Amino acid sequence: LRYLRKPKVTLLANELDSLASCLVKAGKTDEALAKYGEAVALLQEGGFGKNLELAKRVVVIGSLLNTMARYEEALGRLEEGWAIYLLNTGEFPHTLAVARLYEEIGDVKCTLGSTSAAIEDYHSAIDVFKRSGNVDEDLVIQKVVRKISDLVDP
């Protein structure tokens, strides 16, 4: 693997991602999870370090674990992905992906019973959604505010 050039490693990782995506669509989530894991391992072994390519794939694994109701594992992967984003984008990234990541971390924490931590993540999601300049930000923010309201006033 260390003899492969980085573009080839990226191509192989992208192929694994495509295969994993097809497996998800076919309902084969365990197999998909394994393929996404292979893509992450390939990037790590290929000397890519903790870059955004790795962060995206780690977050996808976390999201998939979340859909599989493996919440503790999902939270670990989502927070790992967030930490990698933070290393690469600085303290205040303004992307929709990061806002959605905050929201999903909040959802998982809520499911695990960490209500106050979930509310903090939802507030962070709202802040990032506002800074992102997204056309649909009001609808998204309203959805997240409803989640907070449901937690505060069930």
Side-chain angles (χ1 to χ4, degrees):
L1 187 62
R2 53 186 119 122
Y3 301 108
L4 289 176
R5 293 181 183 261
K6 286 188 178 184
K8 288 185 181 180
V9 172
T10 302
L11 283 173
L12 288 171
N14 289 342
E15 290 298 319
L16 287 167
D17 287 348
S18 296
L19 178 56
S21 180
C22 290
L23 289 167
V24 168
K25 289 175 185 170
K28 298 180 178 187
T29 52
D30 287 323
E31 293 95 332
L33 192 58
K35 292 300 174 196
Y36 283 125
E38 286 178 39
V40 166
L42 190 64
L43 290 173
Q44 288 171 328
E45 293 168 11
F48 277 77
K50 294 187 181 277
N51 65 15
L52 291 175
E53 289 295 319
L54 180 64
K56 291 174 191 174
R57 287 168 173 90
V58 169
V59 168
V60 167
I61 290 171
S63 295
L64 186 56
L65 288 165
N66 186 23
T67 64
M68 297 168 74
R70 292 168 57 179
Y71 302 116
E72 293 285 342
E73 292 173 88
L75 183 58
R77 285 304 201 149
L78 292 169
E79 287 180 334
E80 178 186 356
W82 166 241
I84 297 169
Y85 271 116
L86 192 61
L87 282 173
N88 285 274
T89 60
E91 191 172 348
F92 299 108
H94 301 282
T95 66
L96 288 176
V98 170
R100 289 187 183 111
L101 178 55
Y102 267 126
E103 183 181 1
E104 186 166 10
I105 289 171
D107 291 344
V108 174
K109 286 180 180 177
C110 183
T111 300
L112 292 172
S114 299
T115 305
S116 60
I119 290 171
E120 286 179 29
D121 288 316
Y122 290 147
H123 281 292
S124 296
I126 290 169
D127 290 342
V128 177
F129 277 124
K130 285 180 180 177
R131 289 194 312 257
S132 73
N134 181 23
V135 175
D136 299 325
E137 77 180 34
D138 288 337
L139 294 174
V140 176
I141 290 170
Q142 289 173 10
K143 178 184 79 166
V144 177
V145 168
R146 276 193 303 278
K147 289 180 181 185
I148 293 171
S149 296
D150 290 345
L151 290 174
V152 173
D153 190 27

